[in-house]
Amino acid sequence: MFNNLFGKKPAAKKEFITITLNAKLQPMHRGDLEDALTKILEAHNIGEICGGGSLLEKNGEISECDIEIEAKDTSEQAIHHIINFLEDALAPKGSKLRIGEDRIIEFGQHEGLALYLNGTDLPDEVYQNSDINEAWAEIEKLLGEEGGIHSYHQGETETALYLYGNRFDTMHQLIEPFLNSYPLCQQCRVVQVV
């Protein structure tokens, strides 16, 4: 009340947007996505990223991740800009955008494939003569426009590569011949990420 007596406008109520991506992204990979999203937020004067985090499974793998935005604009057009960017960059099915406490919008079109490479049971010469970076590069090449590797997890007995793309079945078909032929991929597991 007294603020108006002195010509000050009351502070605008802050609104927050929380994006929950159904994606297994390490913090550094979520950070890359946040950097790109920041450009969209700035270009359309929507707000700024004020936080983020990851939900972990019991084994230490990331289950999903959040990006929090302090928003100046929560109009349909602003939300449209955010969702369009994410669906072009990375938005697995089952992702959600929450505005304040009440409004939730489900979105996402990508499908996920987790490739678990056996880190303990293969012959020693396989680990000595194989290179995870070579496998990563070949998988990326084979996927082409159908998907890509977006993150990874180094566990006690397995290393997981997280692939996201248009369709799980298509990605699996594209990489299966390589998985069957590259020594480091022996005894690997392929799991659909949902």
Side-chain angles (χ1 to χ4, degrees):
M1 181 182 218
F2 291 109
N3 284 343
N4 290 337
L5 292 175
F6 299 105
K8 294 182 180 178
K9 294 181 182 177
K13 183 181 174 188
K14 293 179 183 178
E15 286 200 86
F16 292 90
I17 297 171
T18 302
I19 300 161
T20 300
L21 291 175
N22 186 24
K24 296 176 175 287
L25 297 180
Q26 294 278 355
M28 66 183 162
H29 300 128
R30 186 188 73 236
D32 292 341
L33 190 61
E34 289 172 357
D35 291 345
L37 178 58
T38 293
K39 293 176 183 175
I40 300 299
L41 299 176
E42 289 173 352
H44 298 285
N45 199 27
I46 296 170
E48 61 184 23
I49 293 173
C50 61
S54 302
L55 179 64
L56 298 180
E57 297 176 11
K58 289 180 183 179
N59 67 358
E61 274 187 88
I62 292 172
S63 173
E64 61 185 32
C65 56
D66 285 349
I67 299 171
E68 296 174 358
I69 300 168
E70 186 175 327
K72 302 176 195 172
D73 183 359
T74 59
S75 67
E76 292 297 324
Q77 185 176 11
I79 300 307
H80 178 75
H81 287 306
I82 294 169
I83 290 176
N84 272 359
F85 163 76
L86 291 170
E87 288 192 335
D88 285 343
L90 176 62
K93 294 175 180 176
S95 297
K96 295 176 184 150
L97 183 145
R98 181 179 292 111
I99 303 163
E101 297 294 321
D102 306 326
R103 199 163 145 217
I104 296 174
I105 300 168
E106 294 189 12
F107 68 101
Q109 57 191 12
H110 298 112
E111 295 185 4
L113 182 154
L115 172 62
Y116 293 91
L117 302 173
N118 190 314
T120 56
D121 300 326
L122 303 180
D124 290 343
E125 59 268 15
V126 170
Y127 299 117
Q128 292 165 1
N129 299 324
S130 299
D131 184 352
I132 186 72
N133 295 309
E134 185 179 319
W136 184 306
E138 185 61 22
I139 289 168
E140 287 274 7
K141 184 174 134 189
L142 291 168
L143 290 173
E145 296 294 314
E146 289 299 319
I149 301 173
H150 287 268
S151 198
Y152 66 88
H153 171 75
Q154 180 69 52
E156 290 182 21
T157 60
E158 294 178 304
T159 297
L161 302 180
Y162 302 123
L163 291 62
Y164 292 95
N166 298 325
R167 294 194 63 232
F168 167 83
D169 293 338
T170 303
M171 291 189 293
H172 190 199
Q173 288 170 5
L174 289 170
I175 67 171
E176 192 169 25
F178 176 72
L179 300 182
N180 291 334
S181 65
Y182 194 66
L184 191 61
C185 298
Q186 295 173 53
Q187 300 181 35
C188 70
R189 296 187 300 124
V190 173
V191 177
Q192 185 166 7
V193 180
V194 291

